[in-house]
Amino acid sequence: SQTIHQWPATLVQPVGSPLSLECTVEGTSNPNLYWYRQAAGRGLQLLFYSVGIGQISSEVPQNLSASRPQDRQFILSSKKLLLSDSGFYLCAWSRGRNTEAFFGQGTRLTVV
Amino acid sequence: TQLLEQSPQFLSIQEGENLTVYCNSSSVFSSLQWYRQEPGEGPVLLVTVVTGGEVKKLKRLTFQFGDARKDSSLHITAAQPGDTGLYLCAGNFGNEKLTFGTGTRLTIIP
């Protein structure tokens, strides 16, 4: 069976510090991978998605970047965090277009 | 850029009542999905609809896809406290990008 791991679950970081959130998928190959950010009680904002190794599509110009160094690994990074980067970050995978997305447990990021 | 608007944003009703929430798009969906999310967790898929006019039922939940494939509705009959959660629609528009709606926060009062 397929599983998705996302860590850490919570993170408190000072303004100006770097960020690295990691997501890995097991039990499948060549998945589509997604990073979303969610404000409290609201919908999911798509940040990045990837259809293969090294292929990253950015949806929103911002202080974040993503990388896919391996087929089932997706990393969200920032060189210098802003207060506005606080939020709930979710990683997801799917088998392709028009298919179900499976989500990790999320990372609650608080920038102070 | 495709936008998915959901309405209402918040809905609070008594147990046993019926309700409908809506999802509208500025573009035609190639497919549409409905998810439910509990606090602190990721969304979980409820249903996928692909064909215009399609209706799917999941126990007390009825999902309808608009004929033009630009809108969808979720109807809950005899709501129960266990239905409480954030309901999200999501769509593909002919590519790999999965865009989510603005969400409806549903609270069922016992």
Side-chain angles (χ1 to χ4, degrees):
Chain A
S1 63
Q2 300 84 20
T3 56
I4 178 169
H5 303 280
Q6 182 183 344
W7 67 93
T10 60
L11 191 59
V12 180
Q13 291 284 97
V15 169
S17 64
L19 173 73
S20 181
L21 301 181
E22 188 163 345
C23 173
T24 60
V25 180
E26 296 178 357
T28 189
S29 60
N30 197 32
N32 285 356
L33 295 172
Y34 305 86
W35 278 111
Y36 292 91
R37 179 169 59 200
Q38 185 175 32
R42 299 307 305 275
L44 277 62
Q45 178 188 32
L46 180 61
L47 302 176
F48 302 95
Y49 69 99
S50 171
V51 300
I53 296 174
Q55 300 180 57
I56 308 294
S57 296
S58 174
E59 287 300 300
V60 182
Q62 58 204 329
N63 187 40
L64 302 169
S65 62
S67 62
R68 185 171 178 173
Q70 300 181 44
D71 181 44
R72 291 169 290 177
Q73 183 184 28
F74 206 23
I75 298 172
L76 182 68
S77 303
S78 174
K79 292 182 179 179
K80 290 185 177 181
L81 284 169
L82 306 172
L83 288 174
S84 58
D85 291 324
S86 293
F88 189 50
Y89 289 82
L90 287 158
C91 179
W93 75 273
S94 75
R95 291 183 175 87
R97 67 178 69 178
N98 302 327
T99 63
E100 178 179 2
F102 299 90
F103 285 83
Q105 286 297 301
T107 297
R108 174 76 57 193
L109 172 66
T110 303
V111 182
V112 296
Chain B
T1 301
Q2 296 85 8
L3 297 176
L4 297 186
E5 294 291 334
Q6 290 186 242
S7 61
Q9 183 179 344
F10 299 98
L11 183 58
S12 182
I13 64 171
Q14 295 288 332
E15 181 178 359
E17 294 184 349
N18 303 332
L19 66 105
T20 303
V21 298
Y22 302 92
C23 174
N24 291 281
S25 170
S26 56
S27 303
V28 174
F29 295 100
S30 57
S31 73
L32 183 141
Q33 301 167 359
W34 283 94
Y35 292 78
R36 185 169 75 194
Q37 184 181 20
E38 303 292 340
E41 298 181 3
V44 176
L45 182 73
L46 296 173
V47 76
T48 299
V49 288
V50 179
T51 305
E54 183 175 3
V55 177
K56 283 192 173 179
K57 292 193 174 184
L58 184 65
K59 298 183 180 179
R60 294 177 291 102
L61 279 61
T62 302
F63 304 86
Q64 186 160 6
F65 201 14
D67 291 340
R69 292 190 291 137
K70 295 179 70 174
D71 59 273
S72 181
S73 63
L74 159 58
H75 182 80
I76 300 179
T77 303
Q80 299 178 1
D83 296 326
T84 293
L86 180 66
Y87 288 81
L88 296 158
C89 64
N92 282 108
F93 298 93
N95 55 30
E96 309 298 327
K97 185 169 64 173
L98 182 61
T99 300
F100 277 78
T102 50
T104 292
R105 168 74 61 189
L106 175 63
T107 303
I108 308 301
I109 303 167

